[in-house]
Amino acid sequence: MTRLFALLLFAIVSLPAHAQLPVPSTWVNQRGSVLSIQTLNASTGDFTGTYVNNAARFSCQGHPYPVAGNVTANRIEFYVNWTSPTAPTCRSMTIWHGRIAGDKIPTRWTMYYAGADWNFHKMTGGDFFTRR
């Protein structure tokens, strides 16, 4: 029994810190927006992919934008700078941070944007991503 426990403990400790983020993987939030993880650097936890915003009352909908982030153990952070050569530019940036819990990622986000007055503004909220 002790050997089995030691073997299980070794197996758990031996998992890479980034093993909780499967690559490739697709995550959808409660607003229908889609986060696609396409690459992961196993030594740093840095990842890249795309994000398609489908949230009502927000601009830049329906187009893939580059996403970049980092995962360490179950902590995840990622951001989208809403610019792309093939999609509208929305003069904004959104940063998410949260924790991976199996096939769920509850997050908090902060969006910084240039308003019609050309001043910078900040908006905050939360998203709940589920692996598809």
Side-chain angles (χ1 to χ4, degrees), residues 54-117:
N54 292 314
R57 298 184 313 248
F58 285 87
S59 51
C60 289
Q61 291 183 345
H63 300 281
Y65 288 86
V67 65
N70 182 272
V71 61
T72 303
N74 69 336
R75 295 183 64 147
I76 187 169
E77 296 180 346
F78 56 97
Y79 72 93
V80 173
N81 183 356
W82 300 98
T83 60
S84 169
T86 60
T89 296
C90 290
R91 301 185 329 239
S92 61
M93 174 188 228
T94 307
I95 303 165
W96 289 261
H97 57 90
R99 295 190 183 275
I100 302 170
D103 63 348
K104 310 286 185 209
I105 306 176
T107 65
R108 298 294 302 160
W109 54 262
T110 303
M111 180 174 65
Y112 301 93
Y113 63 96
D117 59 2

